[in-house]
Each structure stands twice: as C-alpha cells, then as structure tokens.
C-alpha cells in the first residue's frame, strides 16, 4: 500500500526551479532513500512534504488524503515527523523536554488546565513523560535526559532529533541526512536504529550522502539531480544506473 | 541546592509580608507599587520571557483594564473588585483583536508595532474616545474596594490586597510554566520552525500567550484604579511599557524569581536613591548594556524544569 504519494511536484525560488515535476511513492513499511548531489532539491522535497514550503504545482497525498495546503503542525498530527539537515533542537532545554515537544500533539491540556491541574491533566503529563523517556531509551540517550541539548555530542544530538520525531507517534518519519557529522561507529548504530524504527511499523524516508548507509539500509532509492528525478529503483539497480553514475561523477569534478 | 533556593524564597516572602509593620506609609506604598509592577511584569513574562515575543506595548492592556474599572465604577457604581474579571476579560479580548494580525511578525517588527499600539491607546484616551474616558484629565472619584464590608484605603490595607493577588499570580503562573502549555511557549521561543515541526500550532500559542498576559494586565488595571482612585492617560505611556520590558530582560526571561528581583531593582532602587533621580535613565542604560554583554540571560535565569522520573534512567534526575 502507498503511504505517501508525490505527484508532479514543482517548487520555484524566483528563477530557480528547485524541484521540477517530481513524482514518487513511498510504500507503507518501507525504508526509502532520496539521494542526489548537493543542491539537487532533496531538502526542498522534504520541506514541501512537511508544509514548510508550498508547492507551486503538484500533489502530496498521505494515506489517501491530500496534505498540500495543511499547516505543518496538522501534518505532524496526521503522522509525518521529520528531522532537520542542520540540527534544530531546542538547545537551551533538556533532552527530555526536547522529546516532550514531540508528545505535544498527542496531548490535550491547555492553559486553564495547566493552572488548575485537575487529575486528568496530571495523568496526561505523566503519560507524556513516560512516552518521552521510552523514546530516549529507544535511541539509548536515557542517561542524558536531564542534560541540556546543547551539551550532547553531535551524533547524540542527531539521535535526539530522531527521538523527538518518534515521540509524535508518526506513521512516516523523514530523516534529512541523519548520518551527517557522525563517525563510522555512530553511523552503524544509526543504521541499527533505522531498522528498529521500521520494525516498529514506522515507514522511513531518508536523505543521505553516505552511500554505504543508503545501500545498506534502503529497500528503494529515488535519485534527484537539478530538481528532477533521474532514477528510481532498488540499490543494485541504482548502482548500475548510468545517469546516476554520471550525476555523481559530475559533482566530484566540481 | 534546590532546598537552599526554597529557603531563600520563603525567607524573602516572610520579610515582604511582615515589612509593613516596620515601614511608614510612604514605604508601604512603595511596596504596593512594586507589587503591582511584579504582577504586570509577570504577565509580560509570559509573552516576552516564555514565548520570546518582543512586545513593548503592555501598558495598553493595563490601560484597558484600568479604564474598564474606572468607567463602570464611576458611571454605575459597580464595586471595583467585582469589575476585576470583566476588566481582565476586556483586556484579553482587546489583545485577541489586535494581536491576531501581527502575531506572525518577527521580533523587531513586532516591537515597533506594539510600541505603536501603546501610543494609539494613549492618544485615544487623551482624545476622550467614545466620550467616556475623560480626556487628558482622566477619570476621578473611583471607589475604594471593600472586602466583606471592610473598606480598603490605607497603604497597609492595600499592601495585603495587592500582595495577595501577587501570591495568587505566582502560584498560578508557576503551574502554567510547568505544563504542556508552558513548554510549548519555550519551544516557540527557542526555534519556532522546529516547534511547528514537532507538531505545535505556533500561531495559536503565541496568540494565547498574548491573551493571558493581557488578561492579567487588565486585572492589574483594576487594582491600580482602586489604589489611585484617579487615572489618566499619562499613567499608561510608552515609558511604562519600557520599564516592564526592562524588568523582564534584567531579571531573567521566563524566571518568576528573576522578574520579582528585577522589579525591586528597577522600581524599588530609584525610590531609595531619589537624590539621583535625574541620572535614572543613564543608569538604566548602562546597566542594560552591561547585562546584554555579561549576562544576556538576566540576573536570575530560570533553572531547567525538573520531572519526577522512575528511578531507572540514572541518578541525576531525582526531582
Ligand atoms: N528558501 C530557499 N530560497 C531560495 N533558494 C532555495 C531555498 N531553499 C533551497 N533553495 C535552493 O534550491 C536548491 C535545492 O536546495 P536543497 O533542496 O537544499 O538541495 P539538497 O537538499 O538536495 O542539497 C538549491 O539550489 C538551493 O540553493
Ligand atoms: Mg539538503
């Protein structure tokens, strides 16, 4: 079954066409990779999916429902969570509170309930706390719960973003270069984590530069170049694709 | 460490509560003014401190509350304290209307627009808008409040009235901070793109923060009108808004203890050093610049919230 369906997506920035008529599907339960040279438009595709940018034309359908014009927080509550290419944690807050932000969209209590704290509100807080802790445990950061996000190592900050995204209880998680800045050991751990996310029944769409990670983790790969889709297929098909090889060699020469 | 802080807080509270016994009327009144500013600054702290919105027009909401109380009390004789909820409500509604179109503005733009609002409100009051605000002279003859038939009129009596409301405010706002709502405001302040990406309706929370801050400023307006028995547009000028803004930045954004300390420094110290009154602006300016350089988080930044966790995640989280 298709969970996410992109159809003829186009996004322009002034004269620049960042995403040009891109279509692809993400099947439910899969791990799909989105690759391409720098500036190919991968992050822009993510920003279109999450409602950070509005597409100039095309359609985004999630679980049978068009989400083109929904605000970001609605899209999150429908079940799409993301991480950012450049880490965007709440640096001055604790790791625990960073993850609690993800629980927000599954909670109800507002300002009045906060001031008077009826039992249901306290129960809800406790539930969110338990959820946040279990996500921290999932990415093996439980010991860091009370440390400020800014004091975590770079690799751990990336994992903390993953935990925050998972706390929204997504059906699809989209990861923008999750291995960026990680060493080999951390990357291996990340691949493990991504597999475990899939095992939880969450579909994964990821952008990655580290080809070994992409080839190891993804079942299906979509390749972008200059905003357009140039290839799509299994890792072995992509490895053998002439246009993909050219695209990557092209960037190496720059 | 944590206990020590609570001992300090409790000691300060006791000192404040018994101080009228040792002070003359003048200094008791200074404490009353400080109490009002504490409440106002705590309400601004929700908007500026917790949510990070540069709002320099808080005096406008204070004015709406004060004038609501003054007009309805003098025209219809409704007891002033009964007018407190209505004054808060109208200030909140006013905030809802004016904040909606500007809520998405970035920091510096919001600052300019809110400065504009406070001036518009003051000028509207001077021009006797709707023929009910009394123009530049304002409104006089506002009744003293009564509680259980007891008339509140001396500074000592006002002291307990005002600081009672300060205590209620501290209690409620502390709970507000330690909640889903309070955290949402902090997420927005830290990074509103990441906050939206985590599922938070940033526009909604910014608006609610504005409304809560305004409702409280409206409550303060009632207390102010009752204390003064006469109000005029000049009490709600731009300088008042600047003072409140400074209190929050100086004391510590998002910190209740910091805001209270900041109020004592910004409002209380100039009373002690009256002979240097003319140097007040200069001193404030120098202090603010020094703060921004050496302690941008304020004098008493808030400690991270603590949570009661099950023991299995390590020793350091004991709440
Ligand atoms: N907000 C923006 N404004 C203008 N140009 C942008 C913006 N975001 C991305 N671009 C441009 O769009 C192109 C694609 O960028 P991006 O999606 O970040 O590429 P990738 O993630 O594949 O490296 C680049 O040329 C980039 O400069
Ligand atoms: Mg990118």
């Amino acid at each position: 079954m298709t969970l996410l369906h992109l159809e003829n997506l186009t996004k322009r920035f002034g004269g620049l066409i960042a995403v040009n008529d891109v279509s692809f599907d993400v099947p439910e339960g899969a791990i799909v990779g989105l690759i391409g040279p720098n500036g190919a438009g991968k992050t822009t595709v993510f920003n279109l999916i999450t409602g950070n940018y509005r597409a100039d034309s095309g359609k985004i359908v999630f679980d049978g429902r068009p989400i083109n014009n929904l605000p970001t927080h609605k899209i999150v509550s429908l079940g799409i969570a993301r991480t950012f290419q450049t880490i965007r944690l709440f640096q001055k807050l604790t790791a625990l509170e960073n993850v609690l932000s993800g629980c927000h969209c599954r909670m109800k209590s507002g300002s009045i309930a906060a001031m008077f704290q009826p039992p249901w509100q306290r129960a809800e807080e406790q539930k969110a706390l338990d959820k946040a802790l279990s996500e921290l445990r999932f990415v093996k950061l439980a010991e860091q719960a009370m440390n400020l996000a800014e004091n975590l190592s770079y690799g751990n900050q990336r994992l903390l973003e993953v935990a925050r995204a998972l706390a929204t209880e997504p059906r699809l998680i989209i990861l923008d270069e999750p291995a960026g800045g990680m060493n080999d050991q951390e990357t291996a751990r990340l691949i493990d984590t991504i597999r475990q996310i899939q095992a939880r029944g969450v579909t994964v769409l990821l952008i990655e530069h580290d080809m070994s990670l992409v080839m190891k983790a993804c079942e299906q790969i979509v390749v972008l170049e200059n905003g357009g889709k140039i290839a799509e297929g299994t890792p072995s098909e992509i490895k053998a694709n002439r246009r993909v090889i050219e695209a990557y060699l092209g960037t190496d020469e720059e | 460490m944590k206990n020590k802080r609570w001992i300090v807080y409790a000691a300060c509270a006791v000192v404040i509560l018994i101080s009228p016994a040792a002070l003359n009327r003048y200094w008791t009144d200074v404490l009353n003014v400080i109490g009002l500013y504490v409440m106002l600054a705590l309400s601004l702290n929700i908007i500026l401190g917790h949510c990070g919105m540069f709002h320099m027009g808080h005096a406008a909401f204070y004015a709406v509350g004060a004038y609501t109380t003054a007009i309805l009390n003098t025209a219809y004789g409704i007891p002033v304290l009964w007018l407190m909820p209505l004054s808060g409500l109208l200030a909140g509604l006013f905030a809802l209307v004016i904040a909606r179109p500007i809520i998405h503005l970035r920091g510096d733009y919001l600052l300019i627009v809110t400065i504009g609002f406070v001036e518009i409100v003051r000028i509207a009051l001077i021009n006797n808008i709707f023929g009910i605000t009394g123009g530049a002279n304002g409104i006089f003859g506002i009744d003293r409040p009564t509680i259980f038939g007891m008339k509140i009129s001396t500074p000592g009596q006002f002291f307990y009235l005002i600081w009672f409301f300060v205590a209620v405010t501290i209690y409620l706002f502390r709970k507000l901070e330690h909640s889903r709502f309070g955290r949402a405001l902090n997420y927005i302040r830290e990074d509103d793109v990441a906050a939206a990406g985590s599922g938070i309706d940033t526009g909604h929370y910014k608006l609610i923060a504005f409304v809560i801050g305004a409702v409280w400023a409206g409550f303060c307006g009632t207390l102010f009108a009752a204390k003064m028995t006469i109000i005029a547009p000049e009490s709600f000028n731009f300088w008042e808004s600047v003072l409140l803004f400074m209190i929050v930045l100086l004391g510590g954004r998002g910190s209740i203890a910091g805001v209270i300390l900041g109020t004592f420094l910004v409002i209380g110290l100039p009373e002690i050093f009256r002979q240097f009154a003319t140097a007040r602006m200069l001193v404030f300016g120098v202090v603010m610049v020094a703060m921004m350089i050496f302690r941008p988080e304020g004098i008493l930044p808030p400690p991270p919230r603590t949570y009661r966790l099950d023991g299995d995640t390590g020793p350091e989280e004991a709440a």
Side-chain angles (χ1 to χ4, degrees), chain A residues 13 16 18 37-45 53 85 177 207:
Chain A
F13 293 111
L16 177 85
N38 255 327
K42 307 177 297 290
T43 298
T44 306
V45 168
Y53 297 154
Q85 179 176 347
E177 301 195 18
I207 293 175

Side-chain angles (χ1 to χ4, degrees), chain A residues 12-176:
Chain A
R12 293 188 195 84
F13 293 111
L16 177 85
I17 306 183
V19 175
N20 190 3
D21 201 29
V22 168
S23 306
F24 65 89
D25 283 354
V26 178
E28 178 143 36
I31 300 179
V32 176
L34 182 61
I35 65 170
N38 255 327
K42 307 177 297 290
T43 298
T44 306
V45 168
F46 272 23
N47 281 327
L48 291 171
I49 296 171
T50 55
N52 290 76
Y53 297 154
R54 297 274 161 242
D56 293 310
S57 62
K59 237 172 36 186
I60 306 170
V61 180
F62 179 68
D63 195 26
R65 177 176 174 174
I67 57 168
N68 287 40
N69 293 313
L70 296 180
T72 302
H73 66 94
K74 272 270 165 54
I75 293 171
V76 175
S77 67
L78 286 178
I80 303 182
R82 76 172 296 176
T83 65
F84 295 88
Q85 179 176 347
T86 49
I87 292 174
R88 296 195 85 139
L89 287 167
F90 309 113
Q91 297 286 354
K92 302 274 176 213
L93 301 178
T94 59
L96 178 68
E97 289 194 316
N98 269 274
V99 183
L100 273 173
S101 74
C103 301
H104 186 95
C105 66
R106 305 293 168 216
M107 300 167 76
K108 287 195 184 60
S109 60
S111 52
I112 308 237
M115 286 193 216
F116 298 101
Q117 305 204 344
W120 67 266
Q121 187 267 358
R122 268 177 275 154
E124 185 186 75
E125 280 283 307
Q126 189 56 50
K127 211 176 124 211
L129 207 52
D130 294 343
K131 170 78 178 164
L133 274 174
S134 82
E135 294 303 348
L136 276 175
R137 261 181 236 121
F138 181 76
V139 296
K140 307 203 170 56
L141 287 179
E143 305 78 42
Q144 312 268 8
M146 285 300 158
N147 291 341
L148 297 189
E150 64 182 358
N151 295 335
L152 267 56
S153 72
Y154 199 76
N156 282 345
Q157 292 197 7
R158 289 238 175 250
L159 288 172
L160 183 57
E161 268 208 0
V162 173
R164 178 175 70 183
L166 286 170
T168 66
E169 298 177 15
R171 294 180 61 197
L172 170 69
I173 186 167
I174 64 181
L175 309 171
D176 197 342

Side-chain angles (χ1 to χ4, degrees), chain B:
Chain B
M1 174 66 192
K2 183 140 193 276
N3 279 338
K4 222 192 232 161
R5 182 173 320 140
W6 278 104
I7 292 169
V8 174
Y9 290 168
C12 290
V14 169
V15 168
I16 293 172
L17 281 181
I18 61 171
S19 56
L23 296 175
N24 62 22
R25 289 172 65 98
Y26 177 80
W27 285 104
T28 306
D29 196 56
V30 169
L31 279 182
N32 293 347
V33 173
I34 289 174
L36 272 178
Y37 273 101
V38 166
M39 222 170 128
L40 273 173
L42 285 175
S43 70
L44 178 64
N45 186 40
I46 304 279
I47 304 169
L48 169 65
H50 280 290
C51 201
M53 291 185 288
F54 283 4
H55 163 48
M56 221 189 242
H58 213 49
F61 304 140
Y62 187 33
V64 171
Y67 270 86
T68 302
T69 298
I71 292 167
L72 293 179
N73 174 259
T74 52
Y76 303 106
I78 306 171
V80 283
L81 286 181
W82 291 20
L83 288 166
M84 201 170 184
L86 184 67
S87 298
L89 194 72
L90 284 183
L93 276 177
F94 180 66
L96 196 63
V97 172
I98 65 161
R100 192 176 281 278
I102 61 166
I103 207 76
H104 60 276
L105 291 180
R106 256 193 24 230
D108 32 5
Y109 294 101
L110 187 68
L111 193 77
I112 304 286
V113 173
T114 52
I115 290 172
F117 273 128
V118 83
E119 275 306 282
I120 291 169
V121 167
R122 192 180 62 91
I123 291 165
L125 293 173
I126 289 176
N127 287 313
N128 200 5
I129 187 173
F130 312 130
I132 53 176
T133 69
N137 296 328
I139 297 176
F140 45 87
I142 303 159
D143 287 338
R144 296 292 192 181
T146 50
I147 293 175
F148 304 125
M150 188 180 84
K151 195 166 189 165
I152 309 287
S153 52
T154 67
Q157 290 165 332
F158 265 106
F159 174 87
Y160 287 101
L161 180 73
I162 289 171
W163 283 88
F164 166 76
F165 281 109
V166 171
V168 171
T169 303
I170 293 170
Y171 176 80
L172 292 178
F173 282 10
R174 230 188 89 73
K175 300 218 160 193
L176 193 64
E177 284 179 353
H178 289 252
S179 73
R180 172 179 182 253
F181 180 85
R183 287 192 300 269
L185 299 190
N186 292 170
Y187 300 141
I188 292 169
R189 179 188 67 202
E190 293 295 310
D191 183 338
D192 65 347
V193 172
S198 309
I200 289 156
D201 185 350
T202 55
H204 170 79
Y205 278 92
K206 286 179 177 181
L207 198 60
I208 299 297
F210 245 100
V211 169
I212 291 177
V215 166
W216 243 265
F219 292 160
C220 294
T222 296
L223 292 176
F224 180 73
K227 174 177 171 313
M228 304 306 289
T229 71
I230 165 168
I231 59 169
E234 282 319 308
S235 302
F236 311 100
N237 59 25
F238 171 57
W239 177 240
E240 294 301 309
S241 300
V242 175
L243 277 181
L244 292 169
F245 199 88
M246 267 184 353
I247 289 170
V248 175
L249 291 193
L250 188 75
R253 296 212 270 159
S255 159
I256 290 180
V259 167
I260 296 172
L261 178 65
T263 312
F264 272 90
L265 295 178
V266 172
I267 307 296
L269 278 189
E271 285 295 337
I272 294 173
F273 298 106
R274 271 213 102 100
Q275 62 269 45
F276 308 116
T278 46
R280 186 169 145 162
M281 299 283 218
L282 182 70
V283 173
F284 279 153
V286 172
V287 169
M288 287 312 280
V289 170
M291 283 298 294
M292 290 302 122
I293 295 170
F294 297 109
R295 215 177 153 92
E297 260 135 48
I299 300 171
L300 278 183
R305 295 182 188 78
T306 51
Y307 294 88
R308 214 177 295 278
L309 307 178
D310 319 331
D312 59 347
T313 51
E316 78 274 296
E317 304 87 349

Side-chain angles (χ1 to χ4, degrees), chain A residues 1-4 26-31 62-63 78-81 131 135 138 166 169-174 192-205 219:
Chain A
M1 202 203 99
T2 299
L3 184 61
L4 181 73
V26 178
E28 178 143 36
I31 300 179
F62 179 68
D63 195 26
L78 286 178
I80 303 182
K131 170 78 178 164
E135 294 303 348
F138 181 76
L166 286 170
E169 298 177 15
R171 294 180 61 197
L172 170 69
I173 186 167
I174 64 181
D192 223 46
T193 307
I194 292 172
R195 295 234 170 84
Q196 284 174 33
I197 293 172
Q198 182 189 34
R200 283 169 58 167
V202 178
T203 307
V204 180
L205 171 62
E219 295 148 11

